[in-house]
Amino acid sequence: MVSSRRDLLKYLSLAGAAPAVSLAQAPAKGPFTLPPLPYAFDALEPHIDARTMEIHHDRHHAAYVNNLNAAVAGHPDWASKSITQLMAQWQSAPEAVRTAIRNNGGGHINHSFFWNVMKKNGGGKPSGELAAAIDKKFGGFDALKDQFNKSAMGVFGSGWAWLIKDGGGALSIGNTPNQDNPWMHGGTPVIGIDVWEHAYYLKHQNKRADYVAAWWNTVNWDFASEQFLKKA
Ligand code: MN3
C-alpha cells in the first residue's frame, strides 16, 4: 500500500517508472497527426462544456493518433495510406495490427470529423440541397431528428450515430459500435455524434438523451452540406 506522496515517488522510482507523468500527450511520431480543435474549448458552451472538449480532444483523440502511429510503424505500406484508405481497407491489414488500425484509425477519422460537424453558435436547420434531400427522404427535419435520436439512443455501450450518404447519393441513418464508421462501408457521413460516455459524462453523467438534445445546438450545417455535396 502506498500511503504518502514520498512513498509513491519511491515506489515509482523502484518500479522504474517516470516520477513525473505529464497529462499532455507527446507529439505524435508518425504519419498521422492530431488536428487542432477548430475553435476554443469553451466555444460549444453551454451545450458541451470546455473541460469535456479539452479532455476529449487533447487526450482521447491524441491517444488514437499515437496508437495508430504505433500500429503502422514497421508497416510502411500501411503507414503511407490516407486515413480514408485505412478505413476502407482495414480488413486486409496484417493480423497483428488489424484491430489497432480499425479502432485507432476509426478513432482518428471519427473525431477529426466530429470537431468539424460542430461549431460555435451552431444548430438551427439544414438548408439548400441537403434540406431538400432530408425532406424527400425523411419527410422533414423533425422526422430526421427523431430517427437520428433513436439511433443514437440505440447504441449499446460505446459508438456513434450518423446521417450517411451512400455511394449512390442516398441518405440513411445508422449507428456503429466502438470506432467503426461509414467510411468502412463505402459511405460518407453528413453528420455524426459520438455517444461514448467520455463525450458527455462530466456534464450530463449517464443522461445520454440530454446530451444528444444539447448537441443539436452545436451542429455546423454548412459543413454538413459540404459533405453532402462532395463528389464520391
Ligand atoms: Mn470520443
Side-chain angles (χ1 to χ4, degrees):
M1 189 63 196
V2 177
S3 57
S4 72
R5 179 173 163 79
R6 191 195 296 168
D7 285 351
L8 175 65
L9 291 173
K10 189 174 162 196
Y11 170 79
L12 289 172
S13 172
L14 288 172
V21 179
S22 169
L23 292 177
Q25 296 280 340
K29 288 192 176 61
F32 299 101
T33 54
L34 178 66
L37 199 65
Y39 36 71
F41 292 128
D42 65 359
L44 307 179
E45 295 261 11
H47 314 296
I48 301 181
D49 62 288
R51 184 72 174 141
T52 293
M53 291 301 293
E54 181 178 3
I55 295 172
H56 201 174
H57 177 272
D58 286 8
R59 301 197 206 167
H60 289 278
H61 190 173
Y64 295 124
V65 172
N66 289 343
N67 292 337
L68 178 60
N69 282 327
V72 298
H75 299 278
D77 48 336
W78 286 84
S80 64
K81 291 182 194 295
S82 71
I83 188 62
T84 45
Q85 287 173 326
L86 284 184
M87 292 297 90
Q89 301 167 18
W90 73 268
Q91 289 181 85
S92 56
E95 194 175 355
V97 294
R98 193 177 303 153
T99 300
I101 287 175
R102 176 188 193 172
N103 290 338
N104 295 292
H108 179 36
I109 195 171
N110 288 351
H111 289 84
S112 299
F113 178 88
F114 188 55
W115 311 135
N116 283 292
V117 85
M118 302 184 289
K119 69 170 186 177
K120 186 177 180 69
N121 300 321
K125 294 180 174 188
S127 60
E129 288 183 49
L130 175 57
I134 287 171
D135 288 349
K136 190 174 171 200
K137 172 73 186 186
F138 302 100
F141 180 55
D142 288 343
L144 162 87
K145 275 178 78 171
D146 189 51
Q147 197 174 323
F148 186 94
N149 289 347
K150 285 193 174 88
S151 189
M153 294 307 295
V155 175
F156 181 77
S158 299
W160 294 72
W162 310 93
L163 174 64
I164 305 156
K165 187 181 78 165
D166 72 18
L171 288 175
S172 64
I173 287 170
N175 57 40
T176 52
N178 304 311
Q179 296 295 355
D180 286 0
N181 55 66
W183 292 280
M184 290 174 167
H185 309 288
T188 302
V190 177
I191 59 173
I193 184 171
D194 184 346
V195 294
W196 285 57
E197 281 190 342
H198 68 224
Y200 61 89
Y201 203 86
L202 288 181
K203 184 178 175 74
H204 297 288
Q205 296 79 50
N206 60 324
K207 294 171 289 201
R208 185 188 291 178
D210 290 2
Y211 158 67
V212 176
W215 174 82
W216 286 106
N217 297 307
T218 72
V219 173
N220 183 342
W221 287 109
D222 293 331
F223 177 79
S225 276
E226 286 170 25
Q227 308 317 301
F228 176 69
L229 296 172
K230 256 185 195 167
K231 299 286 173 262

